[in-house]
Amino acid sequence: MTTPDVTEPRVHRPTMSTWWWTKKRSYFVFVMRELSSFFIAWFVAFLLVLVAAVGRGDAAYQDFLDWAAAPWMVAINLIAFAFLVLHVVTWFSLTPKAMDVRIRGEKAPAAVIIASQYVGLAVVSAFVLWLVTR
Amino acid sequence: MSTVAHPPLKRRIEPLVWLMFSGGGVMAAVFLPVLVFLFAFAFPLDWISPPDHEHLAAVVGNPLTFLFLLGMFVVLLVHSAHRFRYTLYDGLQIKSKRITAVLCYGVAAIGALAAFVVLLTAA
C-alpha cells in the first residue's frame, strides 16, 4: 500500500464555545432575538388552547380564563411577551434593510418605513380589540 | 430547446421557506401582540372584562376567521421552526443540520395539522 496519511488533508476545525454569545452585548441580543422564535411557537400553542376551549363551550372557556390567570401562567406569559416585544422591535427595524421601499421613485427613509409599521401595528391592534370585544 | 433542467429540491423549497418565514415574522409582529395582550393578560386578569362565550364562538366560527387564523398559525409555526433551527445552529453550536431541520420542521408540521383540527372542531 501507499502511504495515504502523507497526502491526507488536515482540515482546520475551529472550535467555538456553546456560550460564545454571552461575551458581547450585541451577540447576546442576536441570540435572544433568534430565541424569540421559541416563544412565538408557545403563543401559537396558547392561542390554540383558547380556540379549543371556545369550541368546547362556555364552561371550558371560563376554565381557560382561570388557567391563564394562574400566577405561574402569568409569569411564563410575561417572559414570552418580553421576547415577543424583542421580536417586534427588531423585525420592524430590520425591514428598511431587507426591503427596498420607494415612494415616487425615491428611496424611502428608514425612519418612515419603521414608523409606518408601528402605525400598522396600532391599526391592527385597534381592529382586533374591536372585533373581540364589540 | 431541450428540456428545462429542474433545480434540486432544496433550491426549489428554500425560497418558499424564507417567504413563509418573512410572512410569519410580519404576522408575529403585527397580530400577536394584541392577541397575547388581550387573552394572556387583559381578559384573564380582568383589566378588561372578557367577551362572553357566545360572541367569541361566533367570531371563531366565522369562515373568514377560520381561514385567517389557519394561515396565521401556519406561517407563525414555519417562522418559528426556521428561526429556531438557526438558534440551535448558531446559538448553541449544534451542527447536526439534518436532524435539527427534521425536528424543527417536523414539529411545525404537526403543529399546523393540530391547528387545522382544532380550528375545524371549534368552528
Side-chain angles (χ1 to χ4, degrees):
Chain A
M1 291 298 276
T2 50
T3 50
D5 41 325
V6 177
T7 50
E8 205 141 301
R10 294 173 61 188
V11 183
H12 170 63
R13 295 185 202 281
T15 50
M16 220 160 145
S17 147
T18 310
W19 307 104
W20 62 273
W21 43 275
T22 55
K23 306 236 164 66
K24 206 169 151 185
R25 204 185 114 85
S26 57
Y27 297 164
F28 180 75
V29 173
F30 164 74
V31 170
M32 289 302 108
R33 190 193 80 196
E34 298 294 286
L35 194 60
S36 70
S37 56
F38 177 82
F39 294 96
I40 284 166
W42 160 257
F43 281 135
V44 169
F46 180 81
L47 290 174
L48 281 175
V49 173
L50 165 69
V51 172
V54 170
R56 283 204 309 276
D58 192 23
Y61 170 56
Q62 297 304 329
D63 284 348
F64 170 85
L65 289 177
D66 290 342
W67 173 70
W72 62 275
M73 272 302 288
V74 175
I76 293 173
N77 279 332
L78 268 177
I79 295 166
F81 193 71
F83 276 93
L84 179 60
V85 170
L86 180 67
H87 168 78
V88 173
V89 173
T90 52
W91 191 267
F92 283 176
S93 36
L94 267 178
T95 308
K97 289 171 189 152
M99 267 175 78
D100 183 29
V101 182
R102 283 172 186 276
I103 304 167
R104 287 186 226 97
E106 300 277 321
K107 199 164 165 39
V112 172
I113 302 173
I114 293 173
S116 59
Q117 292 178 102
Y118 280 100
V119 174
L121 171 67
V123 171
V124 165
S125 302
F127 171 75
V128 171
L129 179 68
W130 170 79
L131 181 72
V132 169
T133 58
R134 84 196 146 115
Chain B
M1 290 307 246
S2 61
T3 52
V4 182
H6 286 290
L9 188 67
K10 196 182 165 202
R11 289 253 190 93
R12 276 182 285 159
I13 286 178
E14 242 176 36
L16 182 71
V17 175
W18 278 105
L19 191 69
M20 287 175 86
F21 166 78
S22 305
V26 172
M27 295 305 282
V30 173
F31 278 91
L32 262 195
V34 63
L35 288 172
V36 168
F37 172 76
L38 291 176
F39 289 102
F41 303 109
F43 296 149
L45 301 175
D46 257 324
W47 299 345
I48 304 175
S49 69
D52 54 33
H53 174 260
E54 200 186 340
H55 174 65
L56 272 191
V59 172
V60 170
N62 188 297
L64 276 180
T65 321
F66 173 88
L67 282 178
F68 178 83
L69 285 180
L70 182 63
M72 182 180 84
F73 287 141
V74 169
V75 290
L76 286 181
L77 286 166
V78 172
H79 170 90
S80 190
H82 195 56
R83 205 171 222 185
F84 195 66
R85 192 157 78 93
Y86 286 98
T87 311
L88 295 176
Y89 188 77
D90 295 320
L92 290 181
Q93 300 286 309
I94 296 171
K95 301 296 184 189
S96 7
K97 271 189 175 172
R98 189 178 289 262
I99 298 171
T100 50
V102 167
L103 270 179
C104 289
Y105 297 127
V107 171
I110 293 167
L113 194 68
F116 179 72
V117 172
V118 166
L119 283 167
L120 204 63
T121 318

